[in-house]
Amino acid sequence: MPEFTLHPQLQKDTIVVGRFPLCLLLLHRDANYPWFILVPQRGDLTEMHQLSEDDRAQLTAESCVLSEVLEKVFEADKLNLAALGNMVPQLHYHHIVRYHGDPAWPAPVWGEVPAVPYQKDELAERLATIREGLADSEFVSAHK
């Protein structure tokens, strides 16, 4: 299997939070929403069915852990999970915390409102919140 390399667009649009046993966890740079992305660390994959059966189970488990933490620590009204891949073909799963009244509610977040960059303190707080929420899981922070 080819070596894992993060797609250039994901490198540009995200910040590495850390990793699970299978997936790299990224934070999208759009501060409008707590928006995280799981990327299985396997080379040249575009679809979930291309993962081994064990990796599919691991991806599901990691997605569920992340979803539970997001729901709890960000007090989500709703979670949006999506694997589109139209712009970035590399297999990746968006986990977006949504609130009634957020800038795009109730529409999907894509193209609804302009992205807002994080302020330095806002970014530090968001990263600390998710890392603390994941502390009891198999998650490994990028900055311990």
Side-chain angles (χ1 to χ4, degrees):
M1 176 169 275
E3 188 175 321
F4 172 76
T5 309
L6 188 61
H7 188 279
Q9 191 65 49
L10 288 174
Q11 289 178 25
K12 178 179 175 253
D13 292 345
T14 66
I15 297 157
V16 176
V17 179
R19 62 179 169 75
F20 287 97
L22 174 65
C23 293
L24 194 60
L25 177 60
L26 308 172
L27 171 65
H28 197 286
R29 291 184 186 273
D30 184 354
N32 281 312
Y33 324 91
W35 183 342
F36 297 87
I37 301 170
L38 287 177
V39 184
Q41 296 175 97
R42 301 290 187 258
D44 288 347
L45 296 179
T46 58
E47 306 297 339
M48 185 176 184
H49 68 268
Q50 296 167 339
L51 289 167
S52 70
E53 191 172 327
D54 288 344
D55 282 352
R56 282 190 298 254
Q58 184 65 33
L59 173 59
T60 300
E62 292 174 10
S63 178
C64 287
V65 166
L66 178 60
S67 295
E68 288 174 14
V69 168
L70 293 176
E71 204 170 48
K72 179 181 176 184
V73 301
F74 293 107
E75 299 177 358
D77 291 329
K78 179 71 178 104
L79 286 178
N80 288 175
L81 276 61
L84 303 176
N86 298 346
M87 301 297 288
V88 175
Q90 181 174 43
L91 180 60
H92 64 289
Y93 285 89
H94 298 268
H95 292 66
I96 308 165
V97 175
R98 300 298 306 275
Y99 301 103
H100 302 272
D102 71 33
W105 187 267
V109 299
W110 286 275
E112 197 64 26
V113 298
V116 173
Y118 280 97
Q119 299 300 313
K120 188 176 180 180
D121 58 336
E122 212 181 9
L123 176 60
E125 182 179 332
R126 176 107 347 134
L127 290 170
T129 299
I130 191 63
R131 288 175 176 146
E132 183 179 318
L134 291 168
D136 293 333
S137 70
E138 293 182 282
F139 175 76
V140 177
S141 175
H143 302 283
K144 280 243 173 194

